Amino acid sequence: MFDDFDDAVTPEPAGVTDPSPTSDPALPAPAAADGHREGRAAVPGDGEAPRRYQPLLHDLVIAVLAPTSALSGADGQIRPGGVQGLFHADVRALSQATLLLDGREPEPIAHALTGPGGARFVVLPRWLGDPGPDPTVRVDRTRQVTAEGMTETVEIVSAAGAPVTTTVTLDLRCDFAPIETVKSGGDASPSPAWTDRPGCLAWESEDDVRVTVTGDGAHADISAPRLRWEVTLAPRGRVTLRWQAEVDDPKAVVTTPARPVEWGAARVTADDHRLTRLFDRSLDDLRSLRLAEVSAPDDTFLGAGVPWFLTLFGRDSIWAARMLLPLGTGLAAGTLRVLARRQGVKLDPASGEAPGKIMHELRRHEFVLAQHGMRLPTAYYGTIDATPLWISLLHDAWRWGMPEHEVADLLPAMEAALEWLAGDADADRDGFLEYIDTTGHGLANQGWKDSGDSVRFRDGRQAEGPIALVEVQGYAYEAARLAAELLTAFGRPGAARWQEYAEALADRFRAHFWVDGPHGRHPALALDRDKRPVDALTSNIGHLLGTGLLSREESAAVAALLGSPAMAEGFGLRTMSSGDGGFSPLSYHCGSIWTHDTAIVIAGLARAGFGAEAARLAEGLLAAAESFDYRLPELFSGDARDAVIRPVPYPAACRPQAWSAAAAVTIVQAALGLHPDVPRGTISLRPLPGAPLGAVTAKGLRVAGAEVTAAVDATGRATVSGLHPELTTITQDLFPAG
């Protein structure tokens, strides 16, 4: 993903070797070459320690209701090893829950997700029941994850003509493995079970996490440990067994929110039924990712993703809240307040904290990978982009109708964030935002592409820090300009200063970032430590669209390159051009396709008036969604569509993931072209011309707290109803012909 382990797990693109084994202070490059392979040790050479690999999860069934998640096989079994388990936030509560009949595993035939936290599995114990080709005994295993654990109902149904007798057992194990141990392919020893009543097993960690499993009518065996039921089914009879796991975690830092879901019963109907299915599935997943801090349960944010990042992440939680603004401002308000309370107040190189800076991630304990030299504190600030994105979220929420008193309460935090932009974010005072990890045990790259090898020149060489990323300059420009608007509107000083800052940044950017590439002139990915443009063609430049940093002509050049086959011939937007030396379709950040990245660029293209390019990328995501059962993962392969029948999974990608699920709302908004400005009393409609996604209707959107319906018909004509009467609708056609 974009976070801690990226340095540790990103494989090198094919044909490229790291010129410097120690170029990434967060992780030596040889370890980074291990990649996302199965979590087993390779055969070491003489004197070498066995290598461990991040476990794969692309084929697992994942049910989540934050802060708890269950990862199992398609048969419902939670087997020891890899990343299977019942997790509570950052700890694995159960590492095994395997269901056996007569000591044998039934054969799986079907499974499905059943809403937030739910999954159902159908398996066959074919040795039971009548002889013959047709199975006469089936088992339906229905799982429901809760915020504090998991319940399962096991229904055994017989169509046999004679009674069926079987012994049902549930083999259990608990290892309390921290998520970083699981993610790095490490081992954890099982904890001993104990019991204090019939049908109950319990475990307790040194960190005071307690797991209790009870089975209705079961016999508990602590030596196995195991629950056991003796079952007899009458002819054509059925039996229902139930068990539940409860997790008590007194030191947790995140919990389920006290508030109801911030968005109502939003619904989308569309000529392209894929969009409807993606929207519905995504809202279910977004509901399941809602979190709050234990100390502030009324302020909701979205956990970044399952299984690795089910906690507060500044950049991810901000982007997800920003993408969900069409559903209301409640989530944005909670996210803004949570991050404002943890805004930096001092300089601390160990945590990356600085006055005014917005944090990167929050964990229950120090995040340590000793073998990789990584050590992150519980509250870590190693991000260059969360701070300007926080400012832009505040402004956009105000535009969508966030109550003015809530906005006003956050303006002091915005002013502190602005001072960070022009101060500690620009350590060498060259006028650009840059980063470098000075500790040797933090993240080497601190933009959204934060893997150790993500910042590469066109020939594949890695850039050395400090790094000034292209999209971050766009974020800073937009944040300064939007903050100036807020300062003016609320009668606070400083607007002229930040408008001048934005204008000067635009001039500097134009002078230093543009390069000539094989496909034409475009912004570089970054500036390296020597202020040389890192000249790879990447998706990062798409984040500049709609920020105002680019002129109309520059936007057109960027849009054309992003729509070229080298970038857009897959199921979305590649993170790096196929013509670059570092490209690999299964590289984490150098050729794969990230759902949220593509969605951000779709929104930027739509805002900047490039409807055809936006529609092409949106169609790619819809095609990918169909292949992933409408749960779009964090990322997937950047293979060309004519080379593969369906997108190839990235085997360690998070799913569900907040900003990937939120992409569905972004696609709908781009199709509708709904852009409110509640403070000015207007709402503009700029739908994609010609309705390239067909007719789309969205009910239950929220503008200034009012529930509205927006639609675009098959001809591209847009309408909106349900607005407050003081809002004036403006229909705009900003798109070029064709």
Side-chain angles (χ1 to χ4, degrees):
M1 191 175 165
F2 33 82
D3 302 308
D4 311 335
F5 268 93
D6 302 343
D7 303 328
V9 297
T10 305
E12 290 288 330
V16 178
T17 56
D18 188 340
S20 172
T22 59
S23 62
D24 181 353
L27 178 74
D34 290 356
H36 292 286
R37 287 170 246 167
E38 188 56 65
R40 58 177 181 271
V43 179
D46 292 341
E48 293 182 6
R51 288 184 173 183
R52 297 188 180 276
Y53 302 113
Q54 182 177 353
L56 310 185
L57 56 91
H58 64 284
D59 56 352
L60 299 185
V61 177
I62 301 174
V64 57
L65 193 63
T68 307
S69 58
L71 288 82
S72 73
D75 54 1
Q77 303 284 43
I78 296 175
R79 295 181 173 84
V83 69
Q84 295 191 32
L86 177 69
F87 291 83
H88 186 74
D90 282 355
V91 65
R92 183 158 58 189
L94 286 178
S95 52
Q96 182 179 0
T98 52
L99 187 73
L100 306 177
L101 280 74
D102 299 330
R104 301 168 65 178
E105 290 198 38
E107 298 170 277
I109 59 171
H111 70 274
L113 298 176
T114 57
R120 184 181 178 211
F121 308 88
V122 181
V123 295
L124 300 177
R126 290 197 290 165
W127 62 91
L128 295 177
D130 295 340
D134 292 338
T136 54
V137 178
R138 63 180 277 175
V139 178
D140 286 46
R141 186 175 183 179
T142 303
R143 173 173 299 159
Q144 182 59 54
V145 173
T146 68
E148 296 82 22
M150 182 175 76
T151 63
E152 280 197 353
T153 300
V154 181
E155 187 175 49
I156 308 172
V157 181
S158 175
V164 172
T165 300
T166 183
T167 298
V168 179
T169 54
L170 182 70
D171 288 348
L172 298 159
R173 188 164 82 168
C174 176
D175 64 7
F176 294 113
I179 194 67
E180 61 267 32
T181 299
V182 177
K183 195 171 193 291
S184 62
D187 297 320
S189 300
S191 295
W194 51 276
T195 186
D196 58 3
R197 61 186 186 272
C200 174
L201 295 168
W203 299 260
E204 190 163 356
S205 76
E206 295 179 357
D207 200 28
D208 298 328
V209 179
R210 179 170 175 171
V211 179
T212 305
V213 175
T214 56
D216 297 352
H219 171 77
D221 178 358
I222 63 171
S223 63
R226 168 184 299 144
L227 297 179
R228 188 182 78 249
W229 295 263
E230 300 295 340
V231 172
T232 298
L233 292 94
R236 309 193 68 80
R238 66 181 61 216
V239 170
T240 299
L241 311 176
R242 293 181 179 86
W243 68 275
Q244 48 276 328
E246 297 180 3
V247 183
D248 182 26
D249 187 1
K251 296 181 181 178
V253 295
V254 293
T255 187
T256 187
R259 291 181 179 271
V261 175
E262 287 69 22
W263 54 91
R267 297 287 296 174
V268 165
T269 56
D271 286 346
D272 190 333
H273 298 303
R274 297 175 301 177
L275 183 55
T276 300
R277 292 172 185 147
L278 175 62
F279 189 86
D280 291 346
R281 172 76 261 168
S282 296
L283 286 197
D284 275 351
D285 284 339
L286 290 163
R287 290 185 189 101
S288 75
L289 293 172
R290 296 171 65 253
L291 282 171
E293 287 190 279
V294 171
S295 59
D298 286 331
D299 284 334
T300 307
F301 59 88
L302 291 179
V306 178
W308 316 126
F309 309 109
L310 195 54
T311 186
L312 175 65
F313 275 79
R315 174 193 310 122
D316 306 73
S317 298
I318 290 169
W319 264 123
R322 196 176 185 189
M323 296 161 84
L324 290 182
L325 281 171
L327 304 183
T329 61
L331 178 67
T335 304
L336 288 163
R337 286 192 291 263
V338 167
L339 291 169
R341 282 194 293 270
R342 291 187 173 272
Q343 189 172 26
V345 295
K346 64 182 184 296
L347 283 173
D348 180 7
S351 67
E353 183 180 354
K357 191 177 185 183
I358 298 300
M359 69 174 296
H360 177 53
E361 67 177 279
L362 179 68
R363 297 284 188 177
R364 64 183 290 128
H365 51 64
E366 190 178 44
F367 191 97
V368 179
L369 286 175
Q371 70 271 33
H372 297 319
M374 181 180 287
R375 181 180 295 273
L376 305 182
T378 56
Y380 180 56
Y381 289 77
T383 170
I384 191 65
D385 52 10
T387 307
L389 289 171
W390 185 95
I391 296 171
S392 294
L393 174 61
L394 177 63
H395 172 273
D396 288 357
W398 174 59
R399 283 275 190 97
W400 278 88
M402 182 173 163
E404 293 209 347
H405 70 276
E406 296 185 27
V407 178
D409 288 346
L410 291 165
L411 292 178
M414 183 191 77
E415 290 165 329
L418 287 168
E419 294 299 332
W420 178 82
L421 288 187
D424 292 314
D426 181 16
D428 61 6
R429 298 297 185 265
D430 68 342
F432 296 118
L433 277 66
E434 59 256 326
Y435 60 81
I436 188 168
D437 172 52
T438 60
T439 69
H441 55 70
L443 290 175
N445 281 319
Q446 297 183 2
W448 84 260
K449 293 181 179 178
D450 62 357
S451 56
D453 67 347
S454 64
V455 184
R456 291 179 174 269
F457 289 88
R458 186 187 307 153
D459 61 8
R461 290 176 297 119
Q462 289 185 212
E464 296 187 40
I467 298 293
L469 287 170
V470 62
E471 77 275 15
V472 174
Q473 316 316 313
Y475 299 159
Y477 172 88
E478 183 179 36
R481 194 168 51 83
L482 299 182
E485 186 179 340
L486 278 168
L487 292 170
T488 298
F490 284 83
R492 299 173 79 97
R497 174 191 173 191
W498 295 108
Q499 190 62 48
E500 291 168 3
Y501 170 93
E503 292 169 359
L505 176 57
D507 290 340
R508 286 191 299 272
F509 182 88
R510 199 159 279 118
H512 293 281
F513 265 84
W514 282 81
V515 296
D516 292 311
H519 304 290
R521 190 164 173 77
H522 64 85
L525 166 60
L527 303 181
D528 73 355
R529 68 177 181 185
D530 298 317
K531 308 304 176 184
R532 294 175 300 181
V534 181
D535 56 353
L537 174 59
T538 64
S539 63
N540 301 58
I541 63 175
H543 292 225
L544 303 176
L545 294 166
T547 64
L549 181 60
L550 302 179
S551 69
R552 176 67 193 175
E553 293 74 19
E554 291 166 342
S555 294
V558 167
L561 285 172
L562 295 176
S564 68
M567 293 294 294
E569 65 181 350
F571 292 86
L573 183 67
R574 286 172 171 152
T575 46
M576 178 177 283
S577 160
S578 59
D580 280 75
F583 172 79
S584 171
L586 275 176
S587 166
Y588 198 61
H589 284 134
C590 299
S592 60
I593 293 170
W594 283 64
T595 300
H596 89 282
D597 182 38
T598 301
I600 290 169
V601 175
I602 289 169
L605 288 164
R607 288 173 63 188
F610 299 98
E613 292 83 356
R616 177 179 179 181
L617 293 179
E619 197 285 325
L621 284 186
L622 292 176
E626 189 174 26
S627 294
F628 289 114
D629 199 24
Y630 297 98
R631 176 180 269 181
L632 278 168
E634 179 185 17
L635 72 155
F636 48 90
S637 168
D639 289 301
R641 291 178 71 167
D642 62 3
V644 291
I645 297 174
R646 53 190 296 166
V648 175
Y650 188 83
C654 287
R655 54 185 179 86
Q657 198 211 25
W659 58 11
S660 293
V665 181
T666 298
I667 295 171
V668 170
Q669 187 191 0
L672 299 171
L674 188 69
H675 298 280
D677 191 342
V678 172
R680 288 191 172 91
T682 63
I683 183 164
S684 63
L685 295 176
R686 304 196 299 269
L688 295 178
L693 302 180
V696 178
T697 299
K699 297 181 179 180
L701 304 183
R702 290 192 172 271
V703 179
E707 196 168 285
V708 306
T709 296
V712 59
D713 65 19
T715 69
R717 185 177 67 90
T719 58
V720 61
S721 61
L723 293 169
H724 283 298
E726 59 268 26
L727 290 177
T728 301
T729 303
I730 302 171
T731 302
Q732 298 175 322
D733 183 9
L734 301 183
F735 294 93

